[in-house]
């Protein structure tokens, strides 16, 4: 599915860099984007931090720790004919 990320030359785009610690102890880094605004990328970092939050086995409540963290990167796009 196509996404409009700004048609201007040298457009500024953002991506979310997410680091996840899986249950087997493996750590993976994933990149989501590009997004046309910083807010969308920040929202993805927040989503994964909350989604991967550790839950207490007995109560099901969040423990305050997470198995994901991330940050946002900014970049520019230079378009060239393919």
């Amino acid at each position: 599915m196509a996404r409009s990320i700004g048609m201007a030359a040298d457009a500024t785009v953002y991506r979310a860099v997410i680091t996840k610690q899986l249950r087997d102890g493996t750590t993976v880094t994933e990149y989501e984007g590009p997004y046309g605004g910083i807010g969308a990328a920040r929202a993805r970092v927040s989503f994964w931090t909350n989604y991967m939050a550790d839950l207490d086995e007995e109560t099901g409540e969040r423990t305050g720790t997470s198995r994901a963290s991330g940050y946002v990167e900014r970049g520019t796009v230079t378009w060239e004919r393919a």
Side-chain angles (χ1 to χ4, degrees):
M1 177 178 192
R3 178 184 309 150
S4 176
I5 59 170
M7 301 307 289
D10 301 318
T12 299
V13 293
Y14 303 87
R15 72 178 181 177
V17 181
I18 313 296
T19 302
K20 300 175 185 175
Q21 182 178 357
L22 306 179
R23 294 204 182 271
D24 66 2
T26 305
T27 300
V28 296
T29 300
E30 298 177 348
Y31 303 88
E32 294 188 8
Y35 299 102
I38 194 170
R42 285 180 178 158
R44 297 305 296 166
V45 172
S46 294
F47 169 80
W48 282 110
T49 301
N50 291 329
Y51 184 79
M52 300 284 292
D54 288 324
L55 299 179
D56 184 283
E57 295 290 328
E58 293 178 18
T59 66
E61 298 291 321
R62 291 193 171 137
T63 63
T65 61
S66 180
R67 295 178 290 119
S69 62
Y71 56 91
V72 174
E73 291 183 336
R74 177 180 58 225
T76 57
V77 176
T78 304
W79 299 99
E80 51 183 68
R81 191 172 214 161

